[in-house]
Amino acid sequence: MRLKTSRNGTVLMPDRGLDSTGVGEILARLTLQEKAALCSGQDFWNLEGVPRTGVPSIAVADGPHGLRKQRHTQDGFVQSSNVPATCFPTAVTLASTWDPDLLREVGAAIGEEARAEGVSVILGPGVNIKRSPLCGRNFEYYSEDPYLSSVLATAFVRGVQDMGVGTSLKHFAANNQETRRFSINAIVDERALREIYLASFEHVVKAARPWTVMAAYNRLNGPYCSEHPELLTGILRNEWGYQGLVMSDWGAVNQRVAGLEAGLDLEMPGLKNGRDGEIVEAVREGHLSMEVLDWAVERVLTLVSKAAATGLAPDDYDRDAHHHLARRAAGEGAVLLKNEGAVLPLTSDLSIALIGAFAKSPRYQGGGSSAVTPTRIDTAYDAIARRVGAGAMLTYAPGYDPKTDALAPALIDEAQQVAQEAEIALVFAGLPAFYETEGLDRQHMAMPAQHNSLIEAVAEVNPNTVVVLMNGAPLEMPWQVKVPAILEAYLGGQAGGAAVARLLYGEVNPSGKLAETFPFRLEDHPAHAFFTGGPRTVEYRESIYVGYRCYDTADKPVLFPFGHGLSYTTFSYTDLRLSASQMHDDGEIDVSVTITNTGTRAGREVVQLYVHDVESIVFRPTQELKGFAKVSLEPRKSTTVTIALNRRSFAYWDTGLRDWRVEAGEFEIRVGASSRDIRAVATVEVRTTHPRRPRVPEGDRLAEYCDLNGDTAFSRGAFAALHGRPLPANLPERRGEHTLNTPLCDIQGSLAAWLLRIVMRRQASTAISEDPDSPMARRAQEMLEEMPLRMWLLQAGGGVTPEVLGGLLELLNGRLIQGIRVILQAIRNRPS
């Protein structure tokens, strides 16, 4: 494959191979202005069309766990404008199913709804790794493990695209926090980047070929992701062979022309505030080649042609069937964390104290751009009430106010009185909606004090207390030793309440497994000391030791391990065998194990396969997930599970070769029910044609000079040595140094900054006035403070040009006369 290079020798992209006769003919007929216009959206939710040449406008919409189409294209993120759609469980819940077939079904259902609403591309899935349990958007992401995330996201993308609707794989890349997400520079060493943060993108791009990939807001080792040549072209296109379209996240573009040269095809949303003119001017002045622009336009036209070929005629879909699918997914994704004394499942003759406002007003999704307006809502209260027998008692107490986190002693006293009069106390608790929202990270892992106090109080008077959790990320559970049963329901979508009732009463046997580790406390987490960084950078000092990779390597106790999940039945693992005792690094090997349901109920088990390098010359986690399978078994029945391993299953990223490398030697194949519940082990010898490298210098052996259990783990000096280059400064900007990427919170002490805050607050209050109780609305001021100046172009909806913003920047930097001159000049030059 011949590679294109820019004027400075940077590899741009492979030869075009996408051209069809229709796309080529249209491209030849377009004017320069039309080409530039096609490289940005028409508005918030539609791509630009060119009626003169027969190019239609196509629509996009949010869609990680359900379609979020807005009735009015001028609306940005107004919840009340949403078209009702099935709200499926969020990604954190879907990931806990460990069921690719189910995710493909959910993807197909969302694709079907998108077609019915005339939407050509849904903005999802998100495959960013859960680096920290505090990331405010973790409910939208699958896992802390890139292999699990890869397999599930691939299935979801295939399901959506089976329906002729495109997906947008996001957020590319290293977008692992919400704090300062528009401007933060993620400093990631090469091995961590390849083995952890890019791995899911690579797998999905190669296996499922998503129609689009979305560039993230943040910087990555310097450049913004939206103008990162190595990321968008060197890796994505040249190395992985991606031929689809790359779009920006909404408002993520820093320099439009630089973005085009780097491989960013489409800027979203379309603001019509001068960006098209920048492209035209750059081409005319020779700063941007027509060839690069044509490559981008060709990919836009190809996307439009794919959508047109689908035939997005408005149609209907079976809402009942989709609701039932959502209920099944919620049931499969709930995780039974604890069940001492087999207090679950319940029987209909038991008297129940149903406690917690979430039982009647459930948390079923997170806050932000993914929030779906559901077609209906099932509550746990209604579903449980239908199951309580005629002779049994059902009482209810709210226990807390879900709209606040303040203690409510009277509500707790009422709940305690109700609990002591019942045989079983079901406490629904978790995180209020405003704790988990796009745009803001959590500050701690604790539930509100009123939730913790409620559980403690109920457990004091009723030994049969069952806690049902509704949340999107790990929690600290100081009360967990005092209750016999805990069901992690996560965010179960519109049918989650009914799914919980079916689980509690044994109509569905729990089979969910954690796709993330629950540590005892935040301080146990490997990234806690460096998350969220700031003001300019965040250092990923823990490198490849993310989640269970750190806990298992350090042998650190955890509350609930990765892959954990109980059932109402039991399973045995026997007869582990390999198809060969030796494997060459370019071959494959099959791992087989017999699973038997040794209990009295039908159930499903997730068989997990971890690989351990017995002796490595480079630092590696003690084990890594490299395969899994979910099986269904009737009581006393057995089945054989076979999982194939290939070269990549044993490889690490060699920073010297800049490629994947397999080290010769022995590897343990560990099969079990979680990362801490290994049931069988076998050994394979891997052979390779590559000579064995000498042991690497101490500077590359992170595990040897960082005590993973110690207070000095992952020092800045050790990370700098690993990173292989000086770490950038992380100091706040001073007045006179502000740029368009400076967050509002870093600009203080000037009249211009004060006036800007007033204007932006007014705009924000207008945008959220229709939904003042939404999580984003309640915390809008916090989000506003982290917004960089360039995002005002998005907030102003095209009413502010880059030239006016440049003049404002001069004012903020104390250059009063120059700022006024620039603003007046921009106003005079504005088209009438």
Side-chain angles (χ1 to χ4, degrees):
M1 180 179 290
R2 185 168 62 88
L3 302 182
K4 298 285 186 178
T5 58
S6 67
R7 291 183 300 275
N8 62 11
T10 302
V11 174
L12 289 176
M13 60 198 69
D15 280 337
R16 303 196 303 267
L18 304 177
D19 200 8
S20 67
T21 302
V23 168
E25 289 179 352
I26 292 172
L27 182 63
R29 295 171 57 197
L30 295 173
T31 67
L32 173 58
Q33 289 78 6
E34 288 170 338
K35 291 177 180 179
L38 283 170
C39 289
S40 63
Q42 183 182 88
D43 49 42
F44 250 81
W45 305 113
N46 294 280
L47 273 62
E48 189 66 77
V50 185
R52 181 183 66 82
T53 60
V55 177
S57 172
I58 63 172
V60 302
D62 287 306
H65 63 271
L67 185 68
R68 195 186 76 84
K69 179 189 176 183
Q70 299 198 226
R71 292 187 178 90
H72 309 293
T73 58
Q74 68 270 25
D75 291 338
F77 300 99
V78 181
Q79 182 81 12
S80 60
S81 179
N82 288 356
V83 173
T86 307
C87 182
F88 290 93
T90 61
V92 63
T93 318
L94 292 175
S96 299
T97 70
W98 291 61
D99 190 339
D101 293 336
L102 179 58
L103 265 79
R104 190 161 187 165
E105 284 188 67
V106 171
I110 295 174
E112 185 180 9
E113 296 189 22
R115 287 191 64 175
E117 293 292 346
V119 172
S120 297
V121 179
I122 64 165
L123 306 178
V127 294
N128 295 109
I129 294 299
K130 298 182 182 188
R131 179 187 177 225
S132 165
L134 298 186
C135 176
R137 213 167 177 176
N138 271 357
F139 61 86
E140 272 193 66
Y141 302 142
Y142 290 116
S143 179
E144 68 187 29
D145 180 78
Y147 180 82
L148 178 59
S149 181
S150 296
V151 175
L152 297 177
T154 294
F156 180 87
V157 169
R158 286 173 174 166
V160 175
Q161 297 188 172
D162 284 346
M163 303 305 297
V165 173
T167 55
S168 192
L169 190 66
K170 64 183 188 180
H171 306 87
F172 191 55
N175 182 174
N176 308 105
Q177 65 186 60
E178 295 298 284
T179 301
R180 294 177 177 259
R181 63 175 172 159
F182 301 113
S183 58
I184 199 74
N185 185 8
I187 308 301
V188 191
D189 73 271
E190 188 176 346
R191 278 194 63 193
L193 187 64
R194 292 294 191 148
E195 295 180 23
I196 306 294
Y197 298 104
L198 293 185
S200 294
F201 289 99
E202 178 186 4
H203 185 104
V204 179
V205 162
K206 291 180 176 178
R209 292 183 291 183
W211 288 12
T212 76
V213 169
M214 182 186 292
Y217 287 114
N218 54 284
R219 299 174 187 247
L220 176 57
N221 291 328
Y224 277 94
C225 291
S226 63
E227 55 186 53
H228 203 303
E230 180 184 5
L231 186 67
L232 301 185
T233 295
I235 295 175
L236 179 62
R237 297 198 188 281
N238 293 338
E239 188 179 318
W240 298 347
Y242 182 64
Q243 295 186 326
L245 177 139
V246 177
M247 66 166 64
S248 74
D249 203 341
W250 267 230
V253 173
N254 175 39
Q255 298 291 334
R256 186 65 188 100
V257 173
L260 273 168
E261 289 188 314
L264 181 76
D265 305 312
L266 177 66
E267 177 183 17
M268 289 299 290
L271 303 176
K272 304 310 173 192
N273 51 15
R275 292 289 207 184
D276 295 353
E278 291 179 20
I279 296 172
V280 171
E281 182 180 4
V283 171
R284 286 176 173 168
E285 295 185 358
H287 302 307
L288 175 69
S289 75
M290 182 66 80
E291 188 176 25
V292 168
L293 178 58
D294 282 350
W295 283 328
V297 174
E298 183 180 279
R299 285 189 283 268
V300 173
L301 295 175
T302 300
L303 175 66
V304 172
S305 70
K306 284 183 179 180
T310 301
L312 288 172
D315 197 2
D316 203 2
Y317 59 92
D318 190 333
R319 286 165 173 76
D320 288 339
H322 286 195
H323 183 77
H324 293 154
L325 175 59
R327 185 182 68 187
R328 177 157 63 92
E332 293 279 343
V335 183
L336 183 61
L337 298 176
K338 185 177 181 181
N339 192 24
E340 291 181 351
V343 65
L344 294 176
L346 306 175
T347 56
S348 61
D349 59 337
L350 294 170
S351 62
I352 304 294
L354 192 53
I355 297 167
F358 286 168
K360 284 191 172 182
S361 303
R363 277 270 343 264
Y364 58 91
Q365 64 179 334
S369 61
S370 68
V372 176
T373 297
T375 58
R376 66 176 107 162
I377 292 288
D378 290 345
T379 71
Y381 178 89
D382 291 339
I384 291 171
R386 290 192 293 269
R387 286 165 172 78
V388 175
M393 176 183 65
L394 175 65
T395 54
Y396 170 77
Y400 53 82
D401 179 352
K403 293 186 177 182
T404 179
D405 54 3
L407 275 171
L411 293 178
I412 293 175
D413 289 344
E414 177 194 11
Q416 196 173 41
Q417 181 176 350
V418 167
Q420 64 188 357
E421 297 173 356
E423 294 172 273
I424 298 289
L426 297 179
V427 181
F428 283 72
L431 296 178
F434 56 90
Y435 267 51
E436 295 180 293
T437 180
E438 175 185 351
L440 293 169
D441 294 314
R442 294 159 64 201
Q443 300 303 306
H444 50 73
M445 277 180 54
M447 292 196 301
Q450 59 174 340
H451 288 237
N452 285 327
S453 297
L454 173 66
I455 295 170
E456 298 263 8
V458 170
E460 280 182 10
V461 299
N462 193 319
N464 294 320
T465 296
V466 178
V467 176
V468 179
L469 295 171
M470 293 182 169
N471 50 284
L475 304 167
E476 293 173 351
M477 303 182 196
W479 38 262
Q480 63 92 13
V481 297
K482 301 178 182 179
V483 301
I486 305 170
L487 178 67
E488 175 58 88
Y490 277 126
L491 302 179
Q494 67 181 52
V500 165
R502 287 161 60 87
L503 290 160
L504 293 174
Y505 280 87
E507 296 164 30
V508 172
N509 194 343
S511 64
K513 299 277 190 173
L514 292 179
E516 58 192 347
T517 308
F518 276 49
F520 278 104
R521 55 182 192 145
L522 177 62
E523 290 75 14
D524 294 334
H525 197 273
H528 83 276
F530 333 116
F531 183 90
T532 54
R536 296 196 191 184
T537 70
V538 55
E539 296 169 358
Y540 286 45
R541 293 194 206 170
E542 71 282 359
S543 185
I544 60 175
Y545 292 108
V546 177
Y548 76 90
R549 284 169 164 78
C550 180
Y551 298 120
D552 291 353
T553 303
D555 198 24
K556 186 188 291 284
V558 296
L559 182 58
F560 298 109
F562 176 81
H564 171 74
L566 303 177
S567 170
Y568 296 149
T569 190
T570 54
F571 300 93
S572 70
Y573 291 61
T574 58
D575 194 23
L576 175 63
R577 55 200 181 277
L578 308 181
S579 60
S581 60
Q582 296 178 341
M583 171 189 152
H584 197 274
D585 67 354
D586 60 358
E588 290 189 356
I589 189 170
D590 288 337
V591 179
S592 299
V593 64
T594 299
I595 309 298
T596 302
N597 183 343
T598 55
T600 59
R601 289 174 175 264
R604 306 190 74 194
E605 174 70 334
V606 177
V607 181
Q608 302 164 42
L609 187 157
Y610 298 84
V611 171
H612 164 65
D613 190 348
V614 175
E615 183 182 2
S616 176
I617 61 174
V618 295
F619 64 88
R620 299 189 75 167
T622 189
Q623 60 185 10
E624 297 176 275
L625 181 75
K626 295 300 179 181
F628 65 90
K630 193 166 189 176
V631 296
S632 300
L633 284 170
E634 295 295 322
R636 307 300 174 182
K637 297 296 183 181
S638 300
T639 190
T640 297
V641 173
T642 300
I643 298 172
L645 300 179
N646 57 28
R647 180 178 188 275
R648 190 68 173 265
S649 306
F650 302 92
Y652 67 91
W653 182 261
D654 189 312
T655 56
L657 290 177
R658 293 188 60 83
D659 199 357
W660 296 98
R661 182 188 184 98
V662 177
E663 182 183 351
E666 289 189 343
F667 289 80
E668 283 185 359
I669 308 302
R670 301 173 173 180
V671 176
S674 82
S675 75
R676 295 289 177 94
D677 185 8
I678 301 301
R679 305 288 185 87
V681 178
T683 301
V684 61
E685 181 185 355
V686 177
R687 296 182 172 182
T688 176
T689 55
H690 296 292
R692 186 180 181 90
R693 287 200 316 176
R695 296 189 70 83
V696 296
E698 286 297 305
D700 198 25
R701 295 187 59 79
L702 188 62
E704 290 191 359
Y705 63 75
C706 287
D707 176 8
L708 301 186
N709 284 301
D711 294 334
T712 60
F714 313 125
S715 69
R716 195 164 195 262
F719 180 63
L722 176 68
H723 192 49
R725 61 185 113 165
L727 300 178
N730 193 19
L731 300 173
E733 295 172 354
R734 296 174 296 181
R735 193 180 183 193
E737 299 175 345
H738 298 320
T739 71
L740 294 179
N741 295 311
T742 303
L744 193 59
C745 59
D746 290 348
I747 303 174
Q748 305 292 337
S750 73
L751 177 62
W754 179 73
L755 291 173
L756 179 60
R757 279 183 167 83
I758 291 177
V759 172
M760 294 188 76
R761 285 171 188 164
R762 185 168 300 172
Q763 288 179 333
S765 64
T766 300
I768 64 177
S769 61
E770 294 190 40
D771 192 18
D773 290 328
S774 73
M776 291 186 79
R778 294 185 62 173
R779 304 185 69 182
Q781 184 55 46
E782 297 171 70
M783 297 181 191
L784 183 66
E785 286 294 316
E786 294 196 347
M787 193 174 291
L789 295 177
R790 63 182 169 82
M791 289 296 290
W792 201 20
L793 297 173
L794 177 63
Q795 289 292 313
V800 175
T801 66
E803 292 77 16
V804 170
L805 202 55
L808 178 61
L809 180 62
E810 296 288 347
L811 297 178
L812 295 171
N813 278 320
R815 296 184 281 271
L816 180 63
I817 297 176
Q818 177 67 12
I820 293 174
R821 182 182 297 119
V822 171
I823 292 173
L824 291 176
Q825 182 67 31
I827 293 174
R828 281 195 296 268
N829 293 340
R830 195 168 195 169
S832 57

